Amino acid sequence: YFPRFIKKGIEIGLLNEELSRFDLEKLAQALDPERDLQFDYLGLQTLYDRYFLIDRNDNYSGEGRRIEMPQAFFMRVAMGLALNELNREARAIEFYQLLSSFDFMSSTPTLFNAGTTHSQLSSCYLSTVADDLDGIYEAIKENALLAKYAGGLGNDWTPVRALGSHIKGTNGKSQGVVPFLKVVNDTAVAVNQGGKRKGAVCTYLESWHLDVEEFLELRKNTGDDRRRTHDMNTANWIPDLFMKRVMESGEWTLFSPSDVPDLHDKFGKAFEQAYTAYEAKADRGDIKHFKRLPALSLWRKMLSMLFETGHPWITFKDPCNIRSPQQHVGVVHSSNLCTEITLNTNDTEIAVCNLGSVNLVNHLKPVASSQDRPDLDLEKLHRTIRTAMRMLDNVIDINYYAVAKARNSNIRHRPVGLGIMGFQEALHAMRVPYASQEAVEFADRSMEAVCYNAYWASTDLAEERGAYSSFRGSLWDQGVLPLDTLKLLAEERGGYVEVDMSSTLDWEALRARIKAHGMRNSNCVAIAPTATISNIVGISASIEPTYQNLYVKSNLSGEFTMVNEYLVQDLKRLGLWDEVMVSDLKYFDGSLAKIDRVPAELRQLYATAFEVDTSWMVECAGRSRSMFTWLAHPERSSTRLTSSPGYVG
């Protein structure tokens, strides 16, 4: 079947002809059909509906026939990632083993497009929009081209002048940012990622922009619909000075970027100095187009809109830049669609990130009996990450770039984002409640191991392939590792950094190796939402606690009944899994809290996202930030809180 599948895919114009030059018989022998049994129904249906290649000329079902089966799908992706390898068959089999075992899963664009005639494999694109009509519509065009092949978008709109600002060319007044964001919103809807899933974009605006108050209301269901963006994500890009003013109950001044053009590229103490100087100019009457209001009232409105609409998300400018390894070549102006990465953007570079996630629960040591508690398998994690980082690095060279600015940036800086998923399942397997100090300690150790191995793998690639071209002058080059940047942040802030900085691995050895060989990738890790790929694997997304133990999930593939299999196994072991239990779970919306016949330790172990105190979620996420980022993703409330993510993505 497999050689015929490859031949058919090439004949109908779906697959890259280069795939026919692999030893297809050898690859076919490596396929393991037993691994199909790992899927749950949602995972397999998701692949069938949106990932498997379709022969549209065959009207078997009225919409074409799927010509791809699950293991052939994984091998096709592996082949697509091994195109430039010297020993392509061996590498393809190595990559296939990682994907088909669910130990690691590449991001959706890679799964969609690897090995095809348009191999757009990257997950995220970040751009800065220029303050002129040509630049604005060029950015919207770039959004459309990048979204066509499943790229997620993050746009920095801060440079665009505010409502009422003077337009020198016409001697008129600007309509501000909002009308253009309506066009961005509608473009994302129209270009729906090649007909495979909804287009997605997030717009970022700094908190000193004069249009920020109207920006906060973009997702409201009331008001003038011409000034609403119901399908687009929004995010605040907040400097530390604003939070300082909030804490001090001080005043905050809103400006048009056309009057304060350098604020966009400044951060930390330099931003504070320039900002206060502009406030003084406004007081003297040198700047006339501004607004002053209590910082606390703006902060309350930000939180109110977040509670009411789930937007704009809360992201922080200064930590992202102070901890950025690439601050020698530019400024981080925004995060991306899902806030897991922070990369430099400018007029000539659209930042690109290539994502994939390790399945954490698959990296626990097997135990002899159910009474034993598994622990992290550091050897297996090292092997997985070494191969995964190679796959991610390969994406950069194989990738199809619809926009030249994206290619220039990606080849120059080579950022990748290795993430995790299945954190909750790992805790279940270890019999550790999410709301516990043990969970916090596991988050610390597991994240340290993931980051350490990702950085080490990047130095191995640098030794083999060479360091990325902008490595000289970076924090990596200066011997400053992610853990060290917390000290930089504390120095810049004058304190206010409370996080555990302990470590258990030999970071000095890594520091010496980076000094000797450099880094292949400017950025290595990210905590991505993993929303769809975790569905494929059949585990919880990202670092999230269990949503509910029994619920119905709706997506483009339909509605699916989801059940916590770990809980079911425990209830069966105790003789408690029966129709009454199912009815109780339905009645209490998947919660065990009020089902008295379930033992207290199980109720604690299987507490859901709505029962876990959010302080524990912040604690778990906070331990991981000491290595690279603090990123809490309470997806149920659609919030995004980021701090100190200089080394993500």
Side-chain angles (χ1 to χ4, degrees):
Y1 153 76
F2 184 71
R4 293 199 314 271
F5 154 66
I6 296 295
K7 181 180 178 181
K8 179 70 172 178
I10 294 171
E11 283 178 356
I12 61 178
L14 295 180
L15 292 180
N16 187 337
E17 289 186 5
E18 193 65 27
L19 298 191
S20 66
R21 297 182 178 88
F22 282 78
D23 185 341
L24 299 180
E25 296 294 340
K26 182 177 181 179
L27 297 183
Q29 293 302 314
L31 299 180
D32 184 356
E34 293 297 316
R35 289 185 174 178
D36 285 357
L37 302 178
Q38 297 175 111
F39 289 104
D40 61 17
Y41 188 76
L42 171 60
L44 203 54
Q45 190 67 47
T46 299
L47 287 182
Y48 179 85
D49 287 343
R50 284 183 274 165
Y51 290 77
F52 292 164
L53 296 180
I54 301 173
D55 180 2
R56 298 289 181 184
N57 298 318
D58 188 332
N59 289 318
Y60 169 75
S61 64
E63 58 177 28
R65 184 195 293 266
R66 271 74 177 172
I67 62 171
E68 200 165 34
M69 294 197 295
Q71 300 309 311
F73 160 74
F74 286 129
M75 185 60 82
R76 182 259 295 174
V77 174
M79 293 165 70
L81 292 174
L83 284 172
N84 292 345
E85 295 281 2
L86 293 177
N87 190 345
R88 298 196 299 185
E89 284 77 17
R91 289 298 183 186
I93 292 171
E94 179 185 350
F95 298 165
Y96 163 79
Q97 294 292 346
L98 211 58
L99 294 169
S100 63
S101 64
F102 294 176
D103 287 345
F104 167 83
M105 193 57 61
S106 295
S107 65
T108 285
T110 303
L111 299 180
F112 275 167
N113 299 321
T116 68
T117 53
H118 284 89
S119 54
Q120 196 299 109
L121 312 180
S122 294
S123 306
C124 307
Y125 295 86
L126 294 75
S127 64
T128 289
V129 181
D131 183 31
D132 59 74
L133 206 57
D134 184 64
I136 289 170
Y137 278 94
E138 180 68 19
I140 293 171
K141 175 187 174 183
E142 289 166 348
N143 275 2
L145 291 172
L146 295 169
K148 180 179 179 180
Y149 294 104
L153 305 166
N155 295 159
D156 157 37
W157 280 81
T158 298
V160 177
R161 69 192 65 196
L163 177 67
S165 299
H166 180 241
I167 304 173
K168 185 176 180 181
T170 63
N171 198 30
K173 289 187 176 181
S174 171
Q175 288 296 303
V177 172
V178 170
F180 295 114
L181 297 186
K182 178 67 172 174
V183 180
V184 173
N185 178 91
D186 294 344
T187 300
V189 173
V191 186
N192 62 343
Q193 301 198 1
K196 292 186 175 181
R197 61 177 182 174
K198 294 179 180 179
V201 61
C202 182
T203 291
Y204 290 77
L205 199 72
E206 290 200 42
S207 306
W208 51 263
H209 197 289
L210 199 51
D211 287 348
V212 70
E213 290 179 288
E214 193 172 9
F215 178 76
L216 296 178
E217 298 181 344
L218 283 172
R219 291 296 296 261
K220 289 183 70 173
N221 290 322
T222 57
D224 185 352
D225 208 53
R226 292 169 298 181
R227 304 186 76 82
R228 296 289 180 265
T229 57
H230 301 297
D231 306 284
M232 183 182 74
N233 298 321
T234 58
N236 291 297
W237 192 239
I238 301 175
D240 280 355
L241 180 60
F242 174 74
M243 299 309 300
K244 182 179 178 181
R245 296 278 179 90
V246 170
M247 293 169 66
E248 296 172 349
S249 298
E251 296 288 306
W252 186 246
T253 309
L254 306 179
F255 295 104
S256 172
S258 55
D259 295 325
V260 292
D262 58 332
L263 287 186
H264 182 239
D265 284 334
K266 291 185 181 296
F267 57 88
K269 293 177 181 176
F271 174 89
E272 182 170 352
Q273 184 178 2
Y275 183 84
T276 52
Y278 282 124
E279 286 187 309
K281 290 182 72 175
D283 291 339
R284 294 194 303 267
D286 296 338
I287 296 177
K288 295 182 172 56
H289 192 43
F290 71 94
K291 179 178 179 179
R292 190 158 288 160
L293 70 167
L296 189 57
S297 68
L298 183 59
W299 177 240
R300 281 175 174 160
K301 185 169 184 179
M302 287 178 178
L303 297 183
S304 297
M305 288 298 99
L306 189 63
F307 181 82
E308 181 180 334
T309 70
H311 292 85
W313 302 332
I314 306 295
T315 58
F316 296 100
K317 175 184 181 178
D318 288 347
C320 293
N321 279 283
I322 293 164
R323 298 192 66 195
S324 169
Q326 292 296 95
Q327 55 194 260
H328 66 304
V329 290
V331 177
V332 178
H333 294 122
S334 72
S335 186
N336 67 314
L337 170 65
C338 304
T339 73
E340 71 264 27
I341 63 174
T342 51
L343 303 173
N344 302 342
T345 57
N346 55 49
D347 292 342
T348 61
E349 289 188 349
I350 292 177
V352 186
C353 196
N354 320 292
L355 302 176
S357 289
V358 174
N359 182 359
L360 205 57
V361 71
N362 274 21
H363 292 81
L364 299 179
K365 293 177 181 177
V367 293
S369 72
S370 59
Q371 304 303 314
D372 297 329
R373 295 178 61 173
D375 199 3
L376 201 59
D377 189 337
L378 293 177
E379 285 298 320
K380 181 178 180 180
L381 192 65
H382 170 75
R383 293 193 303 271
T384 294
I385 291 176
R386 181 179 58 192
T387 300
M389 287 293 288
R390 190 179 194 93
M391 295 166 71
L392 292 173
D393 188 63
N394 285 355
V395 165
I396 296 167
D397 298 311
I398 297 168
N399 196 46
Y400 166 78
Y401 296 96
V403 176
K405 286 189 281 186
R407 185 183 189 282
N408 295 341
S409 174
N410 217 23
I411 295 297
R412 185 181 180 206
H413 310 302
R414 305 189 71 85
V416 301
L418 180 76
I420 66 161
M421 53 187 173
F423 179 76
Q424 174 68 93
E425 279 77 7
L427 293 180
H428 285 335
M430 296 168 63
R431 316 298 293 175
V432 173
Y434 201 109
S436 69
Q437 190 59 35
E438 284 182 275
V440 173
E441 294 299 328
F442 178 70
D444 198 339
R445 290 188 298 110
S446 60
M447 287 294 93
E448 181 182 4
V450 168
C451 294
Y452 184 87
N453 283 291
Y455 303 150
W456 196 283
S458 189
T459 66
D460 286 343
L461 288 168
E463 182 180 12
E464 176 187 342
R465 299 174 171 180
Y468 69 93
S469 62
S470 61
F471 171 76
R472 292 301 168 198
S474 68
L475 292 190
W476 299 111
D477 184 39
Q478 298 173 43
V480 179
L481 298 186
L483 193 59
D484 307 326
T485 62
L486 287 167
K487 298 174 184 175
L488 299 180
L489 183 61
E491 290 170 6
E492 191 77 15
R493 284 181 169 175
Y496 303 105
V497 179
E498 298 177 8
V499 63
D500 188 292
M501 297 188 189
S502 62
S503 58
T504 61
L505 301 176
D506 189 355
W507 289 88
E508 288 306 314
L510 176 60
R511 198 187 310 274
R513 183 165 179 80
I514 292 173
K515 183 177 181 180
H517 301 291
M519 291 286 284
R520 180 64 175 170
N521 312 99
S522 64
N523 304 68
C524 295
V525 287
I527 299 185
T530 70
T532 307
I533 62 172
S534 61
N535 286 343
I536 293 171
V537 176
I539 56 175
S540 301
S542 191
I543 55 173
E544 292 289 307
T546 299
Y547 171 61
Q548 292 286 21
N549 291 306
L550 181 66
Y551 66 99
V552 173
K553 183 181 184 69
S554 298
N555 63 16
L556 293 176
S557 295
E559 294 189 344
F560 302 87
T561 300
M562 309 298 294
V563 63
N564 186 336
E565 295 290 349
Y566 289 88
L567 170 62
V568 173
Q569 292 171 15
D570 275 345
L571 292 176
K572 284 182 176 180
R573 179 173 52 82
L574 296 173
L576 296 175
W577 184 250
D578 50 31
E579 290 186 11
V580 175
M581 180 61 67
V582 173
S583 297
D584 285 347
L585 281 172
K586 289 179 181 178
Y587 183 80
F588 292 114
D589 292 325
S591 170
L592 297 175
K594 296 182 180 180
I595 305 178
D596 293 336
R597 63 184 181 128
V598 175
E601 61 269 20
L602 285 192
R603 294 203 300 271
Q604 184 182 16
L605 180 63
Y606 295 111
T608 67
F610 299 97
E611 298 164 312
V612 174
D613 190 309
T614 52
S615 63
W616 287 109
M617 297 172 66
V618 172
E619 282 293 325
C620 285
R623 288 302 179 101
S624 65
R625 84 169 170 178
S626 65
M627 296 302 148
F628 59 101
T629 180
W630 170 28
L631 181 56
H633 267 211
E635 290 185 343
R636 261 46 78 186
S637 60
S638 300
T639 61
R640 299 288 189 273
L641 300 174
T642 64
S643 176
S644 306
Y647 269 61
V648 289

